[in-house]
Amino acid sequence: QITLRESGPSLVTPSQTLTLTCTFSNFSLNTDGLGVGFVRQPPGKTLQFLALIYWDDDRRYSPSLRTRLTITKDTSQNQVVLTMADMHPVDTGTYYCVQYASSEGTAFHIWGPGTVVTVSS
Amino acid sequence: QSVLTQPPSVSAAPGQRVSIFCSGGTSNIGKHYVSWYQQLPGTAPKVVIYDDNKRPSGIPDRFSGSKSGTSAILAITGLQTGDEADYFCGTWDDTLSPHVVFGGGTQLTVL
């Protein structure tokens, strides 16, 4: 069974950099066609794509947040790390880690449970 | 303001059919497959339809998806109280650089 789990700080001070780690199991990000990314959801609002990294190190970012985001992978640790710079209170929300598999179509079929991040001084 | 437009809410009685619409443009729905996600309160989203009209294993055939031009529809027949949830459409968009976009979400109430 494939699982993903997000970890990181629950509280971030404005202007700080957020670092989130997605630790996954039962697949390798060395496998053709796979990717791991992050989607967030402010309280009571819709989903927002942040970033995705593929098995071949190709990356996709939200254009509106591109200057603040960096996504990297450590295949030996089965982890993907997302950094988001210059955090604001509007960045408060639940951050989800997602798996992409081209063999399964274009959706994000597997999601982590999510981690709540609050940006406040 | 979301790139994809959905009605904020829909409602119907148990056993009835409901349709949720998702409207986009030529850079997203007009070019790419659409997925639909169901989100129960306090949980992560779950795929109910992918690639316009495919159902993941375990999703009942009461759920169906279709697409025409730059719009997509999620239909749910034989409504059950357990279907009460938020539903989001999502797809890829090629504006500026490839990325995923979602609709604003539709709250389904089963009366």
Side-chain angles (χ1 to χ4, degrees):
Chain A
Q1 179 192 359
I2 291 172
T3 63
L4 307 101
R5 181 163 294 275
E6 311 83 357
S7 58
S10 59
L11 180 64
V12 177
T13 303
S15 81
Q16 274 193 330
T17 294
L18 170 69
T19 299
L20 290 176
T21 300
C22 175
T23 303
F24 52 88
S25 62
N26 294 314
F27 70 95
S28 169
L29 206 35
N30 282 323
T31 304
D32 278 12
L34 297 187
V36 172
F38 286 86
V39 173
R40 74 177 180 180
Q41 185 174 34
K45 295 191 178 179
T46 187
L47 305 166
Q48 182 182 24
F49 170 80
L50 297 178
L52 178 69
I53 188 165
Y54 292 98
W55 80 100
D56 60 358
D57 220 33
D58 196 9
R59 295 167 172 92
R60 298 288 181 258
Y61 290 100
S62 164
S64 63
L65 295 170
R66 175 60 187 97
T67 58
R68 300 172 53 200
L69 294 172
T70 303
I71 191 168
T72 59
K73 62 182 173 71
D74 184 339
T75 53
S76 66
Q77 296 291 320
N78 280 352
Q79 290 182 331
V80 168
V81 175
L82 179 77
T83 61
M84 178 180 286
D86 192 23
M87 293 289 285
H88 301 274
V90 295
D91 295 315
T92 293
T94 301
Y95 286 70
Y96 296 100
C97 179
V98 296
Q99 189 213 42
Y100 170 83
S102 61
S103 61
E104 300 292 328
T106 60
F108 297 135
H109 284 271
I110 302 176
W111 295 61
T115 187
V116 177
V117 177
T118 301
V119 184
S120 174
S121 54
Chain B
Q1 190 101 6
S2 300
V3 173
L4 306 180
T5 301
Q6 297 180 237
S9 62
V10 295
S11 62
Q16 289 195 330
R17 171 192 170 104
V18 69
S19 295
I20 300 174
F21 294 82
C22 175
S23 176
T26 54
S27 64
N28 43 68
I29 293 179
K31 285 181 69 173
H32 297 286
Y33 287 122
V34 175
S35 304
W36 289 91
Y37 300 87
Q38 176 194 64
Q39 187 176 34
L40 299 169
T43 69
K46 178 176 81 170
V47 178
V48 293
I49 293 290
Y50 69 99
D51 287 3
D52 295 344
N53 54 23
K54 298 187 174 90
R55 278 188 314 276
S57 60
I59 301 300
D61 60 6
R62 301 185 297 104
F63 290 81
S64 64
S66 62
K67 188 177 83 173
S68 178
T70 59
S71 294
I73 301 171
L74 171 69
I76 311 172
T77 59
L79 273 174
Q80 301 176 0
T81 55
D83 297 331
E84 197 162 277
D86 292 327
Y87 291 84
F88 299 90
C89 56
T91 186
W92 284 84
D93 190 300
D94 292 340
T95 305
L96 295 176
S97 64
H99 60 287
V100 174
V101 291
F102 293 97
T106 299
Q107 185 177 57
L108 169 62
T109 301
V110 182
L111 302 167

